[in-house]
Amino acid sequence: MHRLTAALRFLLFVLIVALVATVSLGVVWRYALGSSLYWATEVPNFLFVWLVFLGAVVAYREKKHIAFTAILDRLSSRGRRWPPVAVHAIVLAFALFLLVTGSMVVWQTMDSPSEALKLPLGYLYSVLPFAALMIAIDAIGEIVRILRPPIREPAS
Amino acid sequence: MIGIIFVVFLVLLFVGVPLGIGMGVAAAVALVVDGNYPLTIVAHKMINGVNSFPLVAVPLFILAGALAGEGSIAPRLVRFADALFGHIRGGLGHVNVASSMFFGGISGSAVADTAAIGSLMIPTMEKQGYSRADAGAITVCSSTIGILIPPSIPMVLYGVAMSTSVGALFLAGLVPGLLVGVFQMGLVWALARRKGWPQRAERAKAPELWTAFREAFLSLLLPVFLLGAIVSGITTATEAGVIGVLYALFLGGVVYREYDWRGLYRILVDAAVNSAVPCFVVATTSVVAWVVAIVQFPDALVTFFQAMDWGPIVVLLMINVFLLFVGMFMDLVPALLLFAPILYPIAQAAGIGPVQFGAIMVVNLGIGLVTPPVGNCLYLGVVLARSTLWEMSKAALPFLLVNVFVLLLVTYVPAISTWAPSLFFDGIK
């Protein structure tokens, strides 16, 4: 699991570097060379969409999403076990919903080309079912981790 | 449908579901119950909600802020602020507020400001006799300046949601941000005697001031560059963001030589993740915003308000009280994206333009970052200052009243927000 996070983080590194590079290129082309790159907004936009959804996966794995936990924190340790299970179950349900509907959208848009590069828009949308799948896997992992009975330390 | 969305969202919020997911679930449930729209619309709206070039400014400004915060740029700004203001009664309190004003010119996020300035200033303030709660409260309250002085991530989000010029919105925040800073410094001065806050023994001598200025000069140049590039019409806000990133990289990497590859890798990836968190909320909130628009909820509100005929002063007061209440319970990003399109038509009927309304919303919801029970800056400040939520909220109260005062000024005096942008853009309201 840890290796998957590291791989996703590397992907984010590539995306943000590419984002900075392509926006910079757009600026340079326009002001130094006086002509605008025809893909100067489309490519950064696509990279950014990918960055947002893959970043959301990593944020979920690293528990960085903003949530309101003031009430949960007041619960006793016995009562504390079930709300997180419910939270991860809700996240899992939404992820599965996005996996299905997102895949449908990818399927529908494989024939519609993007404005500048004429790439199938399905490539752009495909990050959604991919991210949803990643989040679903992690949500199942979290639920299993919480519900599995704790391993007893051997008395020494 | 609106009712279902709000009930589902609130229930999920209190159970502890992450905001972005809660928004998406609420919209999806409402669409399922309604049954008139294909469910694939959720996926469409989520992707297209973030498929926007102005929004690309968000990761760029977060990255520029992170590069500046990790290196020596923040400490340089603090040293310069200390040389300038450290001798005034209340010493480090002024330095804290002034540092937030300088840092706000580089970073566009109040949380980043709290983290960068707080970790530098709070320990020193404590040593000089500030209570933990006071040191933390000054840090978090002054960090609200960070989203007013350009660049500002909330202004980018408002501009995207409302199709308003981000450059004009940046400038609209400038005067309110300076006002909050100046008034908060006035409050530090007034409180210093009663609270026994010290100042440095003597005014910084010219050589010290010069050294501090020289060391901070290249960092201070960055906000000047950014603003200059935007207002002169050379670049869009997004392009200015990339200039900020490259400049911060150049300063930290080439001039000051303080990044190593491993650290740089971590800064870049963390900036990507930290941008994804609010932008994922943008993605799911845009589904809700679409639902709100198709049921013509804003129109219904306008009709209702027109029938009530309360007059602009009362209507604007009601909008502000409502937003302050929302800000207590809801994070700034979804509140801004959700309520800007709902409330703007009412404000417009009361004679407010889109740029001024952006300033009103960002000043207002900025206060929400510091008010309990939900306040991102407040929570971070409590951790940094090792104080308690209650103690720090009490200490923050007088400073928040300053923000409320500026909010009233911004609401009822249009020139405070529209004057600066009207110098560079046409038809600003």
Side-chain angles (χ1 to χ4, degrees), chain B residues 157-179:
Chain B
L157 299 178
Y158 178 90
V160 171
M162 302 295 289
S163 314
T164 307
S165 155
V166 175
L169 287 164
F170 275 4
L171 285 173
L174 180 62
V175 177
L178 294 175
L179 283 179

Side-chain angles (χ1 to χ4, degrees), chain B residues 76-77 79-80 83 206-221 247 251 255-256:
Chain B
R76 282 163 198 268
L77 294 175
R79 268 202 300 277
F80 179 55
E208 187 195 339
L209 198 60
W210 172 242
T211 312
F213 174 71
R214 218 182 43 210
E215 285 182 345
F217 176 70
L218 288 173
S219 314
L220 289 168
L221 215 53
Y247 188 78
L251 265 193
V255 182
Y256 305 150

